[in-house]
């Protein structure tokens, strides 16, 4: 015998009401659990950044300087191009220069001084003390096929070996660039080299831009004129005609921009002094 249960209206209401109450209870219970979880103290954000000790900072700085020096040495040891092959190029290369000298060469003294201190020699009080270091830490620079040195009134013609290589590289690349552009070659002129503390003190009395803590004290820094250039004199005494000064400046800016971009040096465009202030890296 089959029994069939058919709830009446009252029983149907009671069943529905009970089901709704049960659902609301479950919802409230779940909401309470979530509320309890939200009240649980969260783990604070802990800064796990490790602060380097002074010893670690010095080590990292030394590593950075060593890496820069290694890259610089690699650039300066690259073989030169054969001038005969350069001159054999039929179509002259274009002159591009840089869009803005100040923006292209912005490396102010605080930027250059770190490399100068790390790679250079300790500042000396007098030029005699600087000269006494020649053969040990410094090398004398003089006129050669790639550049010429102006009469120095406030500095001495001595550089650390890497800086001398950089100077030769700049001079040679400048001549190569002129040849490949079919421009008569000229020589760059070095206007300032290594200064003693006495030289710096004297300069500060007549030049407000001269800084007391100068990169020139370390044997790593040179000033190269972008206004004046020396003519090339052949073995028979013939002087090669020079191009315009602004043309030579454009080509020199290309050379320095390439070397700076590769990481060989820092360069500051000195508007008032008419030179590029360059420190080897």
């Amino acid at each position: 015998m089959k029994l069939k249960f058919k709830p009446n209206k009252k029983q149907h209401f009671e069943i529905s009401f009970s089901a709704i109450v049960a659902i609301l209870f479950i919802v409230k219970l779940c909401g309470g659990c979530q509320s309890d979880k939200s009240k649980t103290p969260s783990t604070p954000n802990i800064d796990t950044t490790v602060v380097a000790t002074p010893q670690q900072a010095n080590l990292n700085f030394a590593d950075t300087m060593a890496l820069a020096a290694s890259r610089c040495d690699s650039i300066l040891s690259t073989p030169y191009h054969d001038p005969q092959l350069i001159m054999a190029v039929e179509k002259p290369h274009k002159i591009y220069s840089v869009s803005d000298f100040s923006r292209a060469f912005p490396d102010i003294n605080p930027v250059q001084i770190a490399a100068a201190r790390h790679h250079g020699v300790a500042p000396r009080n007098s030029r005699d003390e600087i000269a006494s270091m020649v053969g040990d830490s410094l090398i004398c620079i003089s006129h050669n096929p790639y550049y010429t040195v102006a009469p120095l009134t406030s500095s001495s013609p001595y550089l650390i070996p890497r800086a001398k290589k950089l100077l030769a590289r700049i001079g040679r690349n400048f001549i190569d660039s002129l040849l490949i552009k079919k421009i008569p070659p000229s020589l760059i002129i070095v206007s300032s080299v290594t200064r003693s503390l006495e030289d710096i003190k004297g300069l500060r009395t007549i030049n407000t831009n001269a800084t007391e803590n100068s990169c020139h004290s370390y044997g790593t820094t040179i000033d190269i004129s972008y206004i004046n250039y020396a003519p090339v004199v052949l073995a028979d005494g013939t002087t090669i005609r020079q191009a315009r000064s602004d043309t030579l400046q454009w080509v020199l800016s290309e050379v320095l921009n390439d070397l700076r971009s590769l990481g060989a040096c820092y360069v500051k465009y000195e508007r008032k002094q008419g030179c590029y202030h360059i420190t080897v890296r």
Side-chain angles (χ1 to χ4, degrees), residues 207-227:
N207 183 2
T208 57
N209 290 325
T211 177
E212 183 176 2
N213 189 16
S214 173
C215 296
H216 283 284
S217 302
Y218 301 91
T220 58
T221 305
I222 52 176
D223 287 346
I224 295 178
S225 173
Y226 59 72
I227 298 176

Side-chain angles (χ1 to χ4, degrees), residues 69-281:
S70 177
R71 183 182 297 114
C72 175
D73 290 338
S74 176
I75 296 168
L76 299 182
S77 61
T78 303
Y80 289 116
H81 297 291
D82 186 348
Q84 298 297 328
L85 296 178
I86 294 176
M87 296 179 68
V89 175
E90 294 183 2
K91 186 177 181 180
H93 288 200
K94 294 182 179 180
I95 301 175
Y96 294 98
S97 184
V98 295
S99 58
D100 185 277
F101 296 117
S102 296
R103 291 184 179 181
F105 309 114
D107 301 324
I108 58 178
N109 189 72
V111 174
Q112 301 193 27
I113 197 69
R117 284 175 173 171
H118 188 79
H119 300 304
V121 298
R124 293 294 188 268
N125 290 317
S126 66
R127 297 184 194 177
D128 289 338
E129 292 183 17
I130 294 176
S132 67
M133 302 178 66
V134 175
D136 182 16
S137 303
L138 297 176
I139 301 176
C140 182
I141 64 170
S142 59
H143 307 289
N144 66 41
Y146 306 146
Y147 58 85
T148 186
V149 181
L152 302 176
T153 58
S154 301
S155 63
S156 300
Y158 308 113
L159 291 171
I160 63 172
R162 181 185 289 117
K164 183 176 181 180
K165 289 182 180 179
L166 172 65
L167 175 56
R169 176 67 61 169
I170 294 172
R172 176 62 184 268
N173 286 4
F174 178 63
I175 293 175
D176 288 352
S177 295
L178 292 174
L179 293 176
I180 204 167
K181 298 175 190 298
K182 305 302 181 182
I183 300 173
S186 292
L187 303 179
I188 57 173
I189 299 177
V190 180
S191 57
S192 185
V193 196
T194 301
R195 298 171 184 164
S196 67
L197 298 181
E198 292 176 352
D199 289 328
I200 295 173
K201 184 178 180 180
L203 280 173
R204 285 175 60 82
T205 62
I206 59 176
N207 183 2
T208 57
N209 290 325
T211 177
E212 183 176 2
N213 189 16
S214 173
C215 296
H216 283 284
S217 302
Y218 301 91
T220 58
T221 305
I222 52 176
D223 287 346
I224 295 178
S225 173
Y226 59 72
I227 298 176
N228 300 312
Y229 301 84
V232 173
V233 181
L234 301 179
D236 60 1
T238 303
T239 300
I240 297 181
R241 176 186 59 84
Q242 285 188 283
R244 290 176 41 175
S245 179
D246 54 355
T247 300
L248 298 176
Q249 181 182 1
W250 295 336
V251 177
L252 179 57
S253 71
E254 293 180 15
V255 171
L256 294 179
N257 190 50
D258 288 342
L259 289 172
R260 179 182 179 273
S261 299
L262 290 172
C265 58
Y266 290 116
V267 184
K268 176 68 172 70
Y269 174 71
E270 300 284 1
R271 183 183 299 274
K272 293 183 178 180
Q273 283 68 43
C275 68
Y276 290 112
H277 179 73
I278 307 166
T279 296
V280 70
R281 297 187 65 183

